[in-house]
């Protein structure tokens, strides 16, 4: 047969006023636990933020290096396009020079043509047919 334990009688004693020393110790322990819990949470948050900042700083450094590389490449491309533009501008200038040269040549040819026409008219005026003929007979120069 198993022996049963006698029932535990509830404490009927009502605690008397708490000991001020125990209350102060309990308060200090409670405050310390709150501070450590708050500090560890805050500290953990701060550590996470610091880690994120360092990771982001590294990413920004990589992006900065990439940006510098791309900027150099863009500068090279810009120089190439500037050369193409300069060559095109030189070609347009040469075309303008050729056009100006052609216009001057055309003016000179017009002057020559007019001069030749005047020479021919003068030669015809000096050219007289014998007997005052209308030029159908024998021709002779004076």
């Amino acid at each position: 047969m198993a022996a049963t334990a006698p029932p535990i009688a509830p404490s009927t004693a009502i605690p008397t006023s708490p000991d001020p020393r125990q209350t102060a110790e309990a308060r200090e322990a409670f405050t310390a636990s709150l501070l450590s819990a708050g500090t560890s949470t805050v500290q953990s948050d701060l550590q996470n933020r610091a880690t994120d900042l360092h990771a982001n700083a590294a990413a920004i450094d990589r992006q900065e290096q990439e940006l510098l590389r791309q900027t150099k490449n863009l500068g090279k491309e810009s120089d190439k396009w500037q050369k193409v533009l300069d060559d095109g501008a030189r070609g347009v200038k040469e075309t303008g020079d050729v056009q100006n040269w052609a216009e001057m040549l055309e003016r000179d040819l017009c002057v020559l043509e007019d001069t030749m026409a005047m020479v021919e008219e003068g030669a015809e005026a000096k050219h007289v047919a014998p007997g005052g003929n209308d030029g159908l007979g024998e021709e002779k120069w004076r």
Side-chain angles (χ1 to χ4, degrees):
M1 192 167 95
T4 59
I8 299 175
S11 174
T12 57
I14 299 176
T16 58
S17 68
D19 182 19
R21 188 177 62 81
Q22 287 178 341
T23 304
E25 285 178 6
R27 186 173 287 141
E28 285 178 23
F30 180 72
T31 305
S33 69
L34 284 178
L35 285 176
S36 74
T39 302
S40 68
T41 302
V42 170
Q43 189 175 18
S44 175
D45 287 344
L46 290 177
Q47 285 176 344
N48 289 339
R49 288 180 184 177
T51 302
D52 289 344
L53 287 174
H54 287 290
N56 289 340
I60 288 172
D61 287 341
R62 284 191 304 274
Q63 291 173 357
E64 181 182 15
Q65 295 303 317
E66 178 66 16
L67 181 62
L68 288 173
R69 189 179 64 76
Q70 292 294 339
T71 301
K72 286 179 185 177
N73 290 341
L74 182 61
K76 290 176 184 177
E77 276 302 306
S78 178
D79 290 343
K80 288 178 187 177
W81 283 111
Q82 186 64 46
K83 184 180 182 308
V84 169
L85 179 66
D86 291 344
D87 290 346
R90 189 175 19 261
V92 168
K93 183 179 182 288
E94 289 173 2
T95 301
D97 290 345
V98 168
Q99 182 179 358
N100 186 38
W101 174 79
E103 289 171 359
M104 288 177 27
L105 188 61
E106 183 181 14
R107 275 193 307 263
D108 289 346
L109 289 174
C110 286
V111 169
L112 280 173
E113 184 180 3
D114 290 343
T115 303
M116 292 303 294
M118 287 195 292
V119 168
E120 287 177 2
E121 286 174 9
E124 287 177 5
K126 290 185 178 182
H127 185 228
V128 177
N133 199 340
D134 62 356
L136 296 178
E138 189 178 300
E139 298 180 354
K140 164 175 157 179
W141 289 94
R142 290 192 192 176

